[in-house]
Amino acid sequence: MSTRWFKDKLASWLYITVSERMIYVAATCACLLFTVLQWQSIPETYLWFVDTRERFLLWTFFFLCHVVCWFLLGLEILLMDCSEMLGISQVYRYHSSLSPPLAQKARKLREIYSRMRHPGSLLLTLMLWLHPLMTLDRLLLASVLTTYMIGRHSFEESHYEFAEKYFTVEQVERKSSSSVRYEYVREN
């Protein structure tokens, strides 16, 4: 659904251009919900099993890895423009006669987004593989998603350097705007 061919067909058949991202996100959510609700685990067939019932430190290691990964994933989502990733910004800006949200992003950031739109790929991979029980179904899911992420996402050194500079500048701008608001509130 994210291919140019599909977007062109959506525009020519249903005259939908601006809300294609929202349709893509809704369809993805529906597919994931269906998959989760229909999932049948195969606990009797597993690749590895690490018994953590009597090894508190090992259990703590797995638990903390997952907590840290979920925390970092949440933090990463907060740093990104969620309304743009969900397609809400596109619709709002279109109806407000403004330019598309990606048009205002830096060229390098648009290039990074074209190569990887999903935040937390490494974190998701860690959560899938770093588990005390690797059942056959989890192995299948982890293998498919890891293969997709490796095959779909590609970066260059310049992308890392740009992302570091971009988010540093964004943090400075957020801090300066919040301190200006704080000073304005204190004065009034």
Side-chain angles (χ1 to χ4, degrees):
M1 289 181 73
S2 66
T3 62
R4 177 59 33 210
W5 177 86
F6 185 83
K7 291 176 183 179
D8 290 342
K9 294 300 178 194
L10 198 61
S12 65
W13 291 343
L14 302 174
Y15 305 106
I16 296 174
T17 56
V18 72
S19 57
E20 60 194 16
R21 181 89 186 145
M22 281 181 28
I23 293 170
Y24 171 75
V25 170
T28 302
C29 289
C31 289
L32 284 173
L33 180 64
F34 178 78
T35 302
V36 167
L37 293 176
Q38 298 302 314
W39 193 267
Q40 297 292 318
S41 184
I42 311 169
E44 56 274 352
T45 309
Y46 54 86
L47 187 62
W48 68 71
F49 171 68
V50 179
D51 190 7
T52 58
R53 288 178 290 192
E54 295 180 17
R55 298 180 186 147
F56 180 73
L57 288 176
L58 196 55
W59 177 86
T60 305
F61 168 75
F62 284 117
F63 177 75
L64 287 177
C65 284
H66 278 257
V67 166
V68 167
C69 285
W70 279 112
F71 174 76
L72 290 175
L73 185 61
L75 194 63
E76 192 171 346
I77 289 170
L78 287 176
L79 289 174
M80 298 190 81
D81 187 2
C82 290
S83 62
E84 190 270 326
M85 292 208 41
L86 295 174
I88 298 167
S89 284
Q90 288 86 331
V91 174
Y92 171 77
R93 295 180 72 79
Y94 175 80
H95 290 294
S96 300
S97 300
L98 300 170
S99 63
L102 278 180
Q104 298 191 339
K105 307 274 188 211
R107 184 187 58 78
K108 270 289 195 199
L109 186 61
R110 288 193 308 260
E111 189 178 318
I112 290 172
Y113 276 179
S114 73
R115 294 173 185 253
M116 188 205 67
R117 290 290 285 183
H118 310 287
S121 301
L122 176 64
L123 300 171
L124 179 61
T125 304
L126 280 173
M127 286 189 279
L128 286 171
W129 288 100
L130 200 62
H131 198 268
L133 177 62
M134 180 59 80
T135 59
L136 188 59
D137 56 311
R138 187 181 186 100
L139 175 67
L140 177 66
L141 179 66
S143 299
V144 167
L145 290 177
T146 302
T147 304
Y148 166 75
M149 286 185 266
I150 289 171
R152 179 70 176 102
H153 302 164
S154 60
F155 285 107
E156 298 170 2
E157 185 67 32
S158 63
H159 294 154
Y160 292 112
E161 293 165 2
F162 171 78
E164 183 179 20
K165 289 176 188 172
Y166 178 82
F167 288 115
T168 302
V169 168
E170 192 171 285
Q171 278 182 334
V172 169
E173 287 176 358
R174 283 185 185 169
K175 285 180 182 177
S176 65
S177 68
S178 65
S179 66
V180 168
R181 275 186 267 135
Y182 176 72
E183 288 174 14
Y184 175 76
V185 170
R186 274 187 34 193
E187 289 173 3
N188 295 329

